């Protein structure tokens, strides 16, 4: 039997042609294209098309995809009514997981070998997930969700639906670049979860719902919320070193640092930092950015030798805050982007499916005999 590797670290669990990470040199590519090029020149919908169908679209293919997504942005009033019953203080990731799963009730056909069904499911999920995130945002404030606007791009429309204002074009472009940076990242926990679920040949809504649940944890997508909380706790630049000393001494993790795949600074963090600076130049400085930069510098000497550097979550929260996005929507926004990657993996998994069924090393008891309840001492078996 092969050696047990906790967390399957370094164990290949699939073959994939979607995304490649060179963690030593900090290089990330989607279908062979460096993520920097995509963040600078592509759009989130074009990148989604690339990830799912494997090639950049022609102008006509992209126009058709954008049109289909635009046509499917609205969600049924029955889903909106269901969301009105969710507790207003519930986490938006839980609301998203429930509402994503509910799509399966409305579109439950399981013809997984029908390319048209695959295409429709892709379009519906890419189109409706942002609308559901925005709907819960307004519903929990006691308002009715606002309808998507057909004259706005994918990203501008999402910002409009949550802030109720048409965003500045530069803000919408930066948000779109953030979605590109979060769209895919090989076999991370939520994508693995999506592939395991996909391998049972269940419907794509269940695939996305299981991945949303996995993304919600603080060691995965939830870290970007925690980064801002940590920066707020530190409060000012002069308190950075003391905070870091204490965290290292107490073996606490610095949120937004470290990555299983990278031994250098996450290339997405490099781009997000540039985007943050662009935003601050235009819309005003956030002094927490100075705290973050000082923490990065101080952490380099303390943690750099172990290969622990800022990851994608370190600067994304600062960008989202400047865009006026509430903190607990950061992870749902990660999900909006990552749906593209999950669906690419869903489609790839269906193309060469074998149900996931790893083995285990049993470490429990053996040879026990069941006893009638009145003859048992506490917790004991014979
Ligand atoms: N701050 C301080 N030390 C860290 C650290 C961090 N953020 N991340 C890892 N380390 C240290 C661990 O304490 C451990 O040290 P040790 O060997 O001396 O005990 C070593 O690095 C390996 O850590 P481990 O948790 O085993 O690495 P991993 O590959 O399993 O974990 C993460 C990867 C992302 C889960 C981990 O880095 C982490 O929890 N980061 C903070 C949360 C976060 O930002 N998540 C978003 C990921 S995109």
């Amino acid at each position: 039997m092969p050696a047990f590797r906790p967390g399957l670290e370094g164990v290949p669990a699939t073959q994939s042609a979607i995304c490649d990470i060179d963690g030593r040199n900090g290089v990330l590519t989607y279908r062979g294209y460096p993520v920097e090029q995509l963040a600078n020149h592509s759009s989130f919908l074009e990148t989604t098309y690339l990830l799912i169908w494997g090639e950049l679209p022609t102008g006509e293919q992209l126009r058709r995809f954008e049109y289909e997504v635009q046509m499917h942005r609205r969600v049924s009033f029955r889903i909106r009514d269901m969301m009105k019953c969710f507790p207003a203080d519930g986490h938006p990731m839980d609301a998203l997981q429930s509402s994503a799963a509910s799509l399966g009730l409305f579109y439950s056909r399981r013809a997984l070998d029908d390319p048209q069904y695959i295409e429709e499911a892709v379009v519906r999920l890419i189109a409706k997930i942002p609308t559901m995130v925005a709907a819960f945002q307004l519903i929990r404030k006691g308002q009715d969700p606002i309808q998507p606007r057909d004259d706005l791009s994918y990203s501008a429309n999402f910002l409009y639906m949550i802030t109720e204002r048409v965003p500045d074009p530069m803000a919408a472009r930066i948000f779109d670049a953030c979605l590109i940076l979060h769209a895919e990242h090989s076999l991370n926990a939520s994508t693995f979860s999506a592939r395991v679920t996909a391998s049972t040949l269940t419907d794509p809504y269940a695939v996305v719902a299981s991945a949303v649940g996995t993304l919600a944890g603080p060691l995965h997508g939830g870290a970007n919320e925690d980064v801002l909380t940590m920066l707020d706790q530190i409060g000012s630049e002069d308190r950075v070193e003391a905070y870091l000393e204490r965290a290292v001494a107490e073996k606490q993790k610095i949120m937004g640092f470290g990555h299983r795949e990278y031994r250098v600074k996450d290339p997405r963090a490099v781009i997000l930092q540039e985007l943050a600076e662009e935003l601050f130049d235009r819309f005003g400085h956030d002094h927490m950015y100075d705290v973050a930069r000082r923490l990065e510098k101080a952490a380099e000497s303390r943690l750099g030798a172990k290969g622990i550097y800022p990851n994608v979550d370190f600067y994304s929260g600062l960008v989202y805050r400047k865009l006026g996005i509430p903190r607990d929507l950061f992870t749902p926004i990660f999900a909006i982007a990552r749906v593209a990657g999950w669906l690419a993996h869903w489609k790839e998994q269906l193309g060469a499916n074998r149900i996931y069924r790893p083995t285990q090393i049993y470490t429990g008891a053996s040879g026990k005999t069941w006893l009638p309840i009145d003859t048992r001492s506490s917790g004991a078996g014979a």
Side-chain angles (χ1 to χ4, degrees):
M1 182 176 296
F4 166 53
R5 305 290 297 266
L8 297 184
E9 184 168 357
V11 177
T14 190
Q15 292 186 320
S16 179
I18 300 169
C19 166
D20 191 37
I21 302 170
D22 172 354
R24 287 194 181 284
N25 296 305
V27 179
L28 169 64
T29 54
Y30 297 167
R31 299 283 189 186
Y33 294 91
V35 76
E36 291 81 0
Q37 286 182 17
L38 296 170
N40 285 330
H41 305 297
S42 182
S43 67
F44 174 66
L45 286 184
E46 183 185 73
T47 297
T48 298
Y49 189 103
L50 168 70
L51 286 167
I52 295 174
W53 280 286
E55 300 288 349
L56 283 171
T58 62
E60 180 49 34
Q61 286 168 329
L62 181 59
R63 268 190 299 281
R64 190 172 152 255
F65 183 52
E66 286 172 342
Y67 175 76
E68 290 294 329
V69 168
Q70 186 183 307
M71 288 298 102
H72 286 87
R73 278 173 181 169
R74 284 168 179 70
V75 294
S76 159
F77 73 92
R78 289 190 284 178
I79 294 181
R80 296 201 304 270
D81 284 353
M82 175 190 78
M83 294 174 89
K84 287 179 184 164
C85 300
F86 293 168
D89 60 355
H91 197 286
M93 277 302 269
D94 295 328
L96 178 60
Q97 191 184 21
S98 310
S99 30
S102 78
L103 289 172
L105 293 162
F106 294 90
Y107 313 107
S108 64
R109 192 159 58 92
R110 290 181 187 201
L112 293 174
D113 53 355
D114 174 358
Q116 202 187 333
Y117 174 70
I118 303 280
E119 195 178 325
E120 281 170 12
V122 163
V123 164
R124 281 199 182 102
L125 279 157
I126 296 292
K128 292 184 195 305
I129 293 281
T131 311
M132 295 192 298
V133 171
F136 185 65
Q137 168 61 10
L138 292 197
I139 288 170
R140 68 179 173 165
K141 292 199 290 180
Q143 294 171 232
D144 271 328
I146 48 177
Q147 292 295 337
R149 261 185 49 178
D150 289 346
D151 59 326
L152 296 177
S153 70
Y154 187 83
S155 288
N157 175 61
F158 174 72
L159 291 175
Y160 161 72
M161 287 191 298
I162 57 165
T163 61
E164 303 169 78
R165 280 184 290 112
V166 175
D168 181 279
M170 180 190 168
R173 180 182 62 74
I174 287 182
F175 183 74
D176 203 66
C178 291
L179 293 185
I180 293 172
L181 294 174
H182 286 83
E184 162 61 8
H185 210 230
S186 80
L187 213 58
N188 53 84
S190 59
T191 303
F192 186 42
S193 172
R195 283 194 88 120
V196 171
T197 309
S199 78
T200 69
L201 303 184
T202 186
D203 71 71
Y205 309 104
V207 169
V208 167
S210 75
V212 170
T214 310
L215 182 68
L219 295 186
H220 193 0
N224 55 11
E225 275 183 53
D226 296 339
V227 170
L228 277 198
T229 309
M230 174 186 74
L231 293 177
D232 287 343
Q233 263 169 17
I234 298 173
S236 59
E237 278 186 79
D238 57 335
R239 294 173 55 178
V240 162
E241 276 78 11
Y243 177 88
L244 187 64
E245 282 303 316
R246 207 189 61 240
V248 171
E250 292 173 3
K251 290 197 169 296
Q252 270 175 32
K253 288 203 170 148
I254 315 294
M255 297 319 277
F257 276 75
H259 200 282
R260 181 71 62 82
E261 294 286 324
Y262 294 110
R263 290 294 159 258
V264 294
K265 186 169 173 178
D266 184 331
R268 300 166 300 171
V270 176
I271 306 169
L272 278 161
Q273 189 171 1
E274 289 164 10
L275 295 176
E277 287 182 6
E278 235 184 284
L279 264 184
F280 300 148
D281 283 350
R282 172 75 181 271
F283 299 107
H285 196 66
D286 179 344
H287 92 104
M288 280 303 151
Y289 177 60
D290 304 324
V291 176
R293 273 202 323 192
R294 178 105 166 232
L295 180 58
E296 177 179 350
K297 202 162 181 319
E300 189 172 345
S301 54
R302 298 301 308 257
L303 302 171
K306 279 188 181 177
I308 296 164
Y309 288 94
N311 61 44
V312 67
D313 290 317
F314 192 58
Y315 290 108
S316 61
L318 290 165
V319 172
Y320 294 153
R321 176 153 76 183
K322 199 70 198 168
L323 291 171
I325 297 169
R327 196 172 292 191
D328 60 1
L329 290 193
F330 295 175
T331 316
I333 286 167
F334 193 156
I336 290 172
R338 191 51 64 82
V339 171
W342 294 332
L343 290 173
H345 282 269
W346 168 61
K347 192 165 165 292
E348 188 175 65
Q349 182 67 35
L350 294 181
N353 191 50
R354 181 134 203 233
I355 190 167
Y356 278 92
R357 200 342 179 162
T359 191
Q360 63 166 21
I361 296 167
Y362 178 64
T363 60
S366 59
K368 294 203 166 193
T369 305
W370 182 89
L371 294 175
I373 199 158
D374 53 357
T375 65
R376 294 177 209 159
S377 57
S378 85

